[in-house]
Amino acid sequence: MSKPRVAVVFGGRNSEHAVSLMGAGSVLEAIDKSKYEVIPIGIAQDGRWVLGASDQRFAIEQGELPAVDTSGTALALPSGQGTLVAYDPGSIPVELGSVDVVFPVMHGPFAEDGTIQGLLEMAGVRYVGSGVLASAVGMDKAYMKTVMAAAGLPVGRYVVVRDRDWRLERERVLKEAEALGWPVFVKPARAGSSQGISKANDRAALEEAVEFARRHDPKVLIEAAIPGREIECAVLESLGDEPPGASMPGEVKVEGGQEFFDFEAKYYPDQMSLTVPADLPAEVAEELRAMAVRAFEALECEGLARVDFFYTPEGELVLNEINTMPGFTSLSVAPQLWAASGLAYPALVDRLVQLALHRSAGLR
């Protein structure tokens, strides 16, 4: 029997382009080539789809972020029922065959936010990870908090700033933000990898922070600071009818004197530490794991997710956010949480592909 064909898709038209490549490099290295036929596909910053070039760079080298090499064969994907078609200038398109699963190792807008999931749904192609709705709601931190609160999960106080609000009602927005108390954290509502985040201690800094966040997204979130430790938990869908499983919780800390998790803290060496299991009372750890699964199910996630919490000095757990396609290098938090819980990175990759192979294409 022929091996299932897995297209690993990476890149994308957003500021998390390089993060996607770093994760895809790990997936391509770990996936079992004796079990699957693997096709690397890059999406360039200008939206072009290309077959992965043989010398594609996936890692940060000498401080330079990786980007999709557009010298590879141009693609139209998908066509029909998951058919890959390659186009070379001056030649007839060559059908590369059907794809059984797409593994979109992609983050941020026009990728993790339901857009690529919708494209694959329309084409009838199975894929790794959450569907359109869960991906879109998980990406938009404002709606994510609304859903989590409706599910009875505790979230912090926040103010949503839409483009019209900032242009026409800035004074009202600033007063609402000031009512949260100082400091506040300002972030794009629909970006990840800690892009565009600032801490503001007064009104002048707040205005600057909103303008900075708006470079990434016209919709901005202003959040009250929550004192406490940052604890993260990974969730994985079951292959059968059992409920999703939660990893051991891990505590993340910023190193090097930085105040909070920005892009450099997450993706440059020695900027972050992870302790697994987190030093928590047993009952708190179990409550956190149960809340992570509740968050996963509240969004109707599929495949995997990482759920982030604050653990306050008063012993309370507050849900910060859920990430439906978390950073996915072998050294990223979610894979490390699973490795510490007994599921090594290659096995995690295989589990996600198998979950996608066993799901139906279309409405579920």
Side-chain angles (χ1 to χ4, degrees), residues 137 140-150 153 155-156 158 221 223 319-321:
V137 175
D140 189 314
K141 297 174 183 66
Y143 283 110
M144 178 273 297
K145 290 177 185 290
T146 298
V147 172
M148 294 304 169
L153 291 159
V155 298
Y158 63 97
L221 208 64
E223 297 178 327
L319 191 149
N320 182 28
E321 62 181 62

Side-chain angles (χ1 to χ4, degrees), residues 24-210:
S26 291
V27 171
L28 289 166
E29 183 177 349
I31 196 168
D32 188 347
K33 310 298 193 304
S34 68
K35 189 173 181 179
Y36 306 107
E37 181 182 353
V38 182
I39 306 168
I41 298 173
I43 302 178
Q45 286 278 18
D46 61 6
R48 282 180 290 169
W49 293 56
V50 295
L51 273 179
S54 59
D55 58 351
Q56 171 67 61
R57 180 169 61 87
F58 290 98
I60 298 174
E61 294 181 1
Q62 299 179 335
E64 184 179 347
L65 296 172
V68 168
D69 183 345
T70 56
S71 65
T73 303
L75 288 177
L77 174 77
S79 172
Q81 293 299 306
T83 299
L84 273 171
V85 178
Y87 292 95
D88 277 321
S91 67
I92 298 174
V94 179
E95 185 176 292
L96 299 179
S98 63
V99 174
D100 296 293
V101 168
V102 170
F103 196 141
V105 191
M106 301 181 71
H107 312 288
F110 316 116
E112 184 188 348
D113 60 350
T115 49
I116 193 168
Q117 291 80 9
L119 181 149
L120 296 170
E121 291 280 1
M122 288 192 295
V125 182
R126 294 175 175 84
Y127 56 91
V128 169
S130 290
V132 174
L133 179 63
S135 298
V137 175
M139 188 80 254
D140 189 314
K141 297 174 183 66
Y143 283 110
M144 178 273 297
K145 290 177 185 290
T146 298
V147 172
M148 294 304 169
L153 291 159
V155 298
R157 295 180 301 133
Y158 63 97
V159 172
V160 181
V161 187
R162 295 174 176 83
D163 179 60
R164 180 182 174 87
D165 299 333
W166 191 243
R167 289 186 293 105
L168 302 181
E169 299 183 65
R170 183 173 302 197
E171 185 62 26
R172 174 185 62 79
V173 168
L174 292 170
K175 287 182 178 179
E176 289 180 359
E178 286 175 327
L180 297 174
W182 304 109
V184 294
F185 286 91
V186 183
K187 60 183 67 172
R190 296 165 293 191
S193 299
S194 297
Q195 300 270 17
I197 296 181
S198 302
K199 181 180 180 180
N201 292 294
D202 55 41
R203 177 180 276 221
L206 174 60
E207 290 197 70
E208 289 181 9
V210 172

Side-chain angles (χ1 to χ4, degrees), residues 285-299:
E286 284 309 302
E287 180 185 5
L288 185 145
R289 295 175 74 230
M291 288 172 65
V293 171
R294 282 173 58 196
F296 188 91
E297 294 185 318
L299 237 60

Side-chain angles (χ1 to χ4, degrees), residues 235-249:
V235 182
L236 193 59
E237 185 184 0
S238 167
L239 273 169
D241 293 327
E242 297 81 11
S247 72
M248 289 191 292

